[in-house]
Amino acid sequence: MSRESEVEFQPHVPASESPVEATIKAVAVGIFFGIAFGAANAYLGLLAGLTISTSIPVAVLSVGAFRILAAFGKKAGILEANLAQTVGSASSSVASGVIFTLPALFLWELDPSLLQMTLLALAGGLLGVLFMVPLRRFLIAKEHGKLPYPEGTACAEVLVAADRGGATARNVFLGLGVGAVFKFLFGALKLLPETVSRAVPFLPKAELGLRMSSALFGVGFILGPRIGAVMVSGSLLAWLVIIPGIAIWGGELTTPFYPETELLIAEMSASQIWNRYVRYIGAGAVACAGILTLIRSLPTMIESIKIGIEQMKKRVEGAGLSVPRTDLDLPLPLVGLGAGCVALMLAVLPQAFGVVDSFSTRAIAALLVVIFAFFFVTVSSRIVGLVGQTSNPTSGMTIASLLGTAAIFLALGWTDDSGKVAALTVGAVVAIAASISGDTSQDLKTGFLLGATPRIQQLGELLGVLTSAVFVCITVIVLAKTYGFGDEALPAPQATLMKLVIEGVLERSLPWVLVGIGAALAAVAAALRVPSLPFAVGVYLPVSTLLPLFLGGLLRLVLERASKRRKESEEVQTERRQKGILFGSGLVGGEGLMGVGIAAFALITSQKPAGLGFQLGGSFAPLLAVSALVLLGYLFVRWTRPDGSAPQD
């Protein structure tokens, strides 16, 4: 983009004006919604291996909260609402990085402390925000028109519409309520089975399942039909082709097949075959897909790093020049000092790396953290500008950093538990940094379009990290102590994968044939131009988890096609889509918060919820459960209508 076009762009609030941005009200609202959606996203990630960007729902809820508070004081301005969503949305990115990695410590039965998890979350969050500061002028301002930053642009549109009286938080609140009730009926009262499964005839040990999850249904609607279809196709391949294939091939074996050491394949159920064999195939697929994503991004990485360094030099040379309010960033010396303090904290404090007692090991791990974090923050910031935060390949970046760290530790002979933990925690900090930098990029894009002060937004991101990290980590600990990780209740798929990667490299124990099959599947998918990472995640996850996600995406496709057949205007179609996305986001938040609440109650009472002791409908209970999901689809249809029968803006 030329310098002239950059000058011509005028934000919603001109640089010549200086409206109020940082207020106690804005910060408090952002912190409150950040904690809530951070906990909900942590639950969703442990359940389905993915998270959603919460910038838009937090922005809408913030506007709704400000309207209520306006009755008791002055009306909040658009930049206050923007700061609230900036603070609030940071928590979801912290949650993404945490749940992708740190649950592996529980799978190793190392029982990490809240202090350790919080220190790692803070380290990653702070590095992600700080390293994004010198990239802002190029990626956000100079590349305006080339990098769309979809969530950031959409969030700006929502806030502008709200400022003009055209948006409402009603659909988000409706989703929160419905999602909470749905989870309470299925997860606490257990009035109906939470998962319905049936064997598939004529295919040995093939099985289909459907989890009654409003959150997964809502995520499917948000992601749309294409990603949902790709993910469920990977899962169907695993459960209708690979599992029956293993059952047929291994039916005549008279000894257990590695990595299983006790049961014969003929004696194993579909779930056991998935756990002992398909999971490694899925791990190979995800690892290969992540690496392929990074390889395709190499030109972008190199270009971003080069230009980022050039921009930093120019900023240092022009440090004494006067700049407008909308171009004020945090000082570069503060960025360097902050990154140095984070590295020093990781090296000096034994609590950060847990069982790692050696200072030299901690120092090398801290150095690797800074190197990998800077590299992948640059990559993440550029990628989300093109495909959005929800599609940010954080897991691929984490796998790459884990492979690099584990290979270094293997060469140094650090293959014991302390080496595993150090490698994992390096990956954890990098994952959090990459995730939060993507969110920061989207938020800075929103601020650029609205005319916010970047320095205030950057401080808001840092505050969001500081206030949400401990609550996200508490959520993970509560869920771990109540349900555990690695089974159908909370598969924690990404963390399980990271555990397998580290163990496989340091112990040389991976079943490479199975991993190779998975890698080949991902490579074939990429060659056929199928999005390889969603496909690979589908192979890795239970089909019962992905079917409701696919159904949510399918419903969105049906509604959008029906809208086009009725020749509705583009404004009406946009309104329908926005209402559906807000309702789906509310479902994620409602089920996630109720799930965390149920887990906290179970932890306090030292027992998992047993329900009421009976199920509705007897033998028809599975049919009633599916009917509840159909009812949820009806609510989507009703509450996305732009006519008088639905909630109106």
Side-chain angles (χ1 to χ4, degrees):
M1 187 175 199
S2 67
R3 178 67 187 171
E4 288 75 19
S5 59
E6 181 188 344
V7 172
E8 289 172 3
F9 174 77
Q10 291 296 325
H12 183 72
V13 178
S16 57
E17 298 180 12
S18 299
V20 176
E21 292 184 61
T23 62
I24 295 176
K25 177 171 56 178
V27 170
V29 168
I31 290 173
F32 175 78
F33 288 126
I35 291 171
F37 275 93
N41 240 352
Y43 172 85
L44 175 65
L46 292 168
L47 174 64
L50 51 83
T51 56
I52 62 169
S53 172
T54 57
S55 293
I56 292 176
V58 170
V60 172
L61 288 172
S62 298
V63 170
F66 286 158
R67 286 180 178 173
I68 295 173
L69 294 174
F72 305 96
K74 184 180 177 182
K75 179 183 176 181
I78 189 171
L79 297 188
E80 284 183 87
N82 178 58
L83 181 63
Q85 75 83 18
T86 298
V87 174
S89 63
S91 65
S92 295
S93 296
V94 172
S96 298
V98 168
I99 58 93
F100 279 6
T101 51
L102 294 183
L105 296 174
F106 293 96
L107 295 170
W108 277 324
E109 299 182 352
L110 294 176
D111 198 21
S113 67
L114 176 61
L115 176 60
Q116 179 189 3
M117 294 178 65
T118 303
L119 287 174
L120 294 173
L122 289 174
L126 294 175
L127 288 177
V129 176
L130 291 172
F131 285 157
M132 181 57 209
V133 171
L135 299 174
R136 184 198 64 83
R137 285 192 179 180
F138 171 70
L139 293 178
I140 306 301
K142 292 188 179 298
E143 289 290 274
H144 178 60
K146 296 180 181 178
L147 295 177
Y149 287 98
E151 286 100 345
T153 301
C155 189
E157 293 173 354
V158 167
L159 287 171
V160 170
D163 191 47
R164 294 170 177 167
T168 179
R170 190 178 301 176
N171 269 30
V172 184
F173 283 117
L174 287 171
L176 285 167
V178 171
V181 169
F182 215 86
K183 181 62 179 178
F184 186 71
L185 294 176
F186 282 93
L189 300 183
K190 297 186 181 294
L191 290 176
L192 292 169
E194 198 164 9
T195 301
V196 175
S197 60
R198 287 289 182 271
V200 178
F202 310 116
L203 290 175
K205 303 195 178 182
E207 191 174 279
L208 285 177
L210 180 64
R211 189 182 181 102
M212 305 305 139
S213 169
S214 61
L216 294 175
F217 197 90
V219 169
F221 192 95
I222 294 169
L223 294 179
R226 184 167 183 262
I227 295 299
V230 169
M231 293 182 74
V232 83
S233 66
S235 193
L236 291 174
L237 175 67
W239 288 80
L240 299 184
V241 178
I242 297 176
I243 289 178
I246 292 174
I248 294 171
W249 172 80
E252 302 299 323
L253 294 180
T254 57
T255 57
F257 181 73
Y258 184 79
E260 175 59 37
T261 58
E262 297 180 2
L263 295 177
L264 299 176
I265 289 179
E267 300 170 339
M268 300 172 74
S269 66
S271 295
Q272 288 172 323
I273 292 176
W274 173 82
N275 184 59
R276 298 303 291 156
Y277 302 115
V278 179
R279 190 174 63 165
Y280 289 97
I281 294 174
V286 174
C288 178
I291 292 171
L292 288 175
T293 302
L294 289 179
I295 291 173
R296 287 194 297 269
S297 302
L298 276 176
T300 300
M301 297 179 192
I302 296 170
E303 180 188 1
S304 295
I305 291 174
K306 284 182 178 178
I307 297 176
I309 292 173
E310 290 175 3
Q311 290 299 311
M312 284 189 284
K313 289 180 179 178
K314 290 180 180 178
R315 291 190 63 187
V316 171
E317 293 170 359
L321 299 178
S322 176
V323 295
R325 175 186 61 81
T326 54
D327 206 25
L328 287 172
D329 291 297
L330 289 175
L332 282 180
L334 180 62
V335 173
L337 179 63
C341 289
V342 170
L344 186 63
M345 176 196 74
L346 293 174
V348 172
L349 294 181
Q351 294 88 346
F353 291 116
V355 299
V356 182
D357 296 324
S358 169
F359 174 77
S360 60
T361 303
R362 295 199 304 269
I364 292 176
L367 179 62
L368 291 173
V369 161
V370 174
I371 293 172
F372 284 129
F374 177 76
F375 183 71
F376 287 120
V377 161
T378 305
V379 174
S380 175
S381 301
R382 180 81 180 209
I383 289 176
V384 299
L386 296 170
V387 300
Q389 174 71 354
T390 302
S391 302
N392 190 8
T394 305
S395 58
M397 301 178 199
T398 308
I399 290 171
S401 62
L402 285 179
L403 288 172
T405 305
I408 292 171
F409 285 9
L410 178 64
L412 296 173
W414 298 343
T415 58
D416 58 2
D417 285 346
S418 64
K420 293 177 184 176
V421 172
L424 178 77
T425 48
V426 168
V429 178
V430 172
I432 296 165
S435 182
I436 195 69
S437 67
D439 175 76
T440 303
S441 302
Q442 299 289 355
D443 289 341
L444 289 173
K445 185 65 171 184
T446 302
F448 174 78
L449 296 172
L450 295 179
T453 306
R455 179 179 297 178
I456 293 177
Q457 279 195 283
Q458 290 155 358
L459 289 173
E461 290 282 353
L462 292 172
L463 182 62
V465 170
L466 292 171
T467 54
S468 65
V470 64
F471 290 98
V472 168
C473 295
I474 288 174
T475 298
V476 173
I477 290 174
V478 168
L479 292 173
K481 292 185 180 297
T482 305
Y483 298 111
F485 298 138
D487 56 15
E488 188 177 358
L490 286 175
Q494 306 287 6
T496 304
L497 171 62
M498 305 309 168
K499 171 178 175 287
L500 293 177
V501 168
I502 293 172
E503 289 177 343
V505 174
L506 295 183
E507 297 178 359
R508 301 183 178 93
S509 61
L510 276 179
W512 287 106
V513 172
L514 298 176
V515 173
I517 291 173
L521 288 175
V524 170
L528 296 175
R529 298 191 176 181
V530 174
S532 56
L533 198 54
F535 175 81
V537 171
V539 175
Y540 191 77
L541 285 173
V543 68
S544 59
T545 299
L546 294 179
L547 268 181
L549 190 147
F550 167 70
L551 293 175
L554 184 62
L555 176 64
R556 176 169 169 176
L557 176 65
V558 170
L559 291 178
E560 289 180 348
R561 288 190 173 179
S563 182
K564 290 179 180 178
R565 280 199 305 270
R566 289 192 292 267
K567 298 182 179 180
E568 294 177 341
S569 67
E570 186 66 31
E571 292 76 11
V572 170
Q573 293 181 41
T574 301
E575 182 185 358
R576 283 179 176 274
R577 183 166 56 251
Q578 180 178 313
K579 284 186 173 182
I581 290 173
L582 292 177
F583 183 59
S585 299
L587 291 177
V588 172
E591 178 174 323
L593 292 173
M594 180 58 69
V596 174
I598 293 172
F601 179 80
L603 184 63
I604 294 170
T605 58
S606 300
Q607 59 180 2
K608 293 183 180 180
L612 298 179
F614 67 92
Q615 287 188 342
L616 297 176
S619 60
F620 292 98
L623 182 60
L624 289 177
V626 175
S627 299
L629 211 59
V630 173
L631 175 61
L632 185 63
Y634 168 76
L635 294 179
F636 258 102
V637 174
R638 178 174 175 78
W639 286 335
T640 56
R641 291 175 184 168
D643 54 64
S645 63
Q648 291 297 299
D649 287 350

